[in-house]
Amino acid sequence: MPLYRDEAIVLRTQKLGEADRIATLLTRGHGKIRAVAKGVRRTSSRFGARLEPFSYVDLQLATGRTLDVVTQAESIAAYGEGIVGDYARYTTGTVLLETADRLVVEEKEPATQQHLLLAGALRVLSSGERTPGLVLDSFLLRSLAISGYAPSFADCAKCGEPGPHRAFNPAAGGMVCTTCRPPASAMPAPTTVTLLAALLSGDWPTAESTDPRTRREASGLVSAFVTWHLDRQLRSLPYLDLTPDAVPSAEALPPPA
C-alpha cells in the first residue's frame, strides 16, 4: 500500500473491534480523512495516547481501499493536556472540533486554512492566554468565513448599503439596513457589533476590552449564525459552560465531537 505523511489534528475517534480505533483527522495537506489505528486500545500500543481528540500529530499513513491505516504517529503538540482538565476549555474545545468536522465535508479534499485555524485555536485555548468564549466565537466566525459564509458587520449584507446598521439577521448574512431588515431581526448594541467585527478580523485588543454583557450578546448572535448556516445546532453546543466556577462531574462531560 502506498505511504504518505501529513500533520493532523484528531477530531474524534470510535472503537473498532477489540483493539482498534477509527480516527477522524483534519490534516494539513489531505483535508479530512478517516484512518484505522490498529491495536491502539492495547496497553502495549506504541502510539495509542497520541491519537486522542485535541492531539496534533505527525502521521505516516498507508492508503487503503476504504479507510487508510496509521503506521506511525509522533506528537507535535498535546493540546488536550491543557484542555481536558478545565470544563470551560473542554466544552469550548469540543465545539471547535465538531465545527471543523462539520464544515470540512469532503474527505481527502485540501482544507489547509481550516486546519491552520483549528490548530491555532487549540493552541491558544490550551495555553489559557485568551478567554475561551472569545476564542470560540472568533473561531466560529472565521471558520464560517473560510467556508464561504462570511458575515457582514459593516455594510448591509443584502444590498451593500454602507453602515453602520442596527439590525442583525443570520439568514440575511449579518447586519442589514432598515429597508432590507427581515421580521424578527435582532437589534444588538453597537458595542456588540464592534466586538463581532473584531472577532472576525482578529482584533484582540478590541475584543478583550469588552465587558461580559457585550460578550454574552455577541455569543448568542454567533450561535444563531452558526446554527442557521449548518442547518442544525452543533451537538456539543448545549454543553458549553464558560463560567469559571463550573466544575461538574466527569459523567456530565460530553464526548469530543
Side-chain angles (χ1 to χ4, degrees):
M1 293 187 292
L3 300 176
Y4 66 96
R5 296 194 73 89
D6 208 341
E7 297 178 5
I9 298 168
V10 182
L11 301 180
R12 55 188 169 92
T13 63
Q14 63 188 87
K15 295 179 181 179
L16 179 66
E18 295 184 357
D20 304 339
R21 276 201 184 103
I22 298 174
T24 300
L25 310 162
L26 182 57
T27 68
R28 183 172 183 139
H30 296 79
K32 187 167 72 173
I33 62 175
R34 296 172 71 237
V36 176
K38 295 185 176 180
V40 295
R41 290 162 55 203
R42 298 193 182 102
T43 55
S44 59
S45 171
R46 292 173 296 136
F47 49 75
R50 301 169 195 165
L51 292 174
E52 295 292 338
F54 306 115
S55 297
Y56 188 17
V57 288
D58 179 7
L59 299 178
Q60 177 177 280
L61 302 106
T63 304
R65 290 185 178 180
T66 55
L67 297 173
D68 293 349
V69 179
V70 177
T71 58
Q72 292 182 12
E74 298 294 335
S75 178
I76 297 175
Y79 293 132
E81 292 179 0
I83 293 176
V84 298
D86 181 272
Y87 189 68
R89 294 184 196 177
Y90 182 81
T91 53
T92 297
T94 59
V95 178
L96 299 182
L97 297 185
E98 185 183 357
T99 301
D101 195 5
R102 290 276 299 276
L103 287 176
V104 182
V105 179
E106 297 295 330
E107 294 189 13
K108 296 191 175 181
E109 290 291 330
T112 304
Q113 286 184 292
Q114 291 285 9
H115 170 89
L116 294 175
L117 181 65
L118 179 59
L122 291 176
R123 177 187 61 78
V124 172
L125 184 65
S126 177
S127 69
E129 62 186 87
R130 301 199 190 282
T131 304
L134 293 179
V135 174
L136 175 62
D137 289 338
S138 179
F139 174 84
L140 292 174
L141 291 173
R142 293 162 111 178
S143 61
L144 283 168
I146 290 172
S147 299
Y149 305 115
S152 175
F153 297 123
D155 300 341
C156 176
K158 296 192 73 174
C159 71
E161 180 182 340
H165 301 294
R166 287 299 320 279
F168 177 89
N169 189 276
M175 303 303 296
V176 287
C177 65
T178 304
T179 303
C180 298
R181 183 179 66 195
S185 295
M187 302 291 285
T191 53
T192 301
V193 180
T194 299
L195 172 57
L196 290 169
L199 293 172
L200 180 60
S201 65
D203 181 358
W204 288 105
T206 297
E208 292 177 330
S209 68
T210 54
D211 58 70
R213 181 176 180 179
T214 298
R215 295 181 187 185
R216 285 194 297 270
E217 185 176 39
S219 292
L221 297 179
V222 172
S223 177
F225 191 79
V226 171
T227 299
W228 172 266
H229 288 286
L230 292 181
D231 293 328
R232 64 182 187 274
Q233 188 180 55
L234 294 167
R235 184 174 61 91
S236 54
L237 203 56
Y239 293 98
L240 190 66
D241 190 340
L242 302 178
T243 57
D245 297 327
V247 186
S249 65
E251 289 77 9
L253 294 174

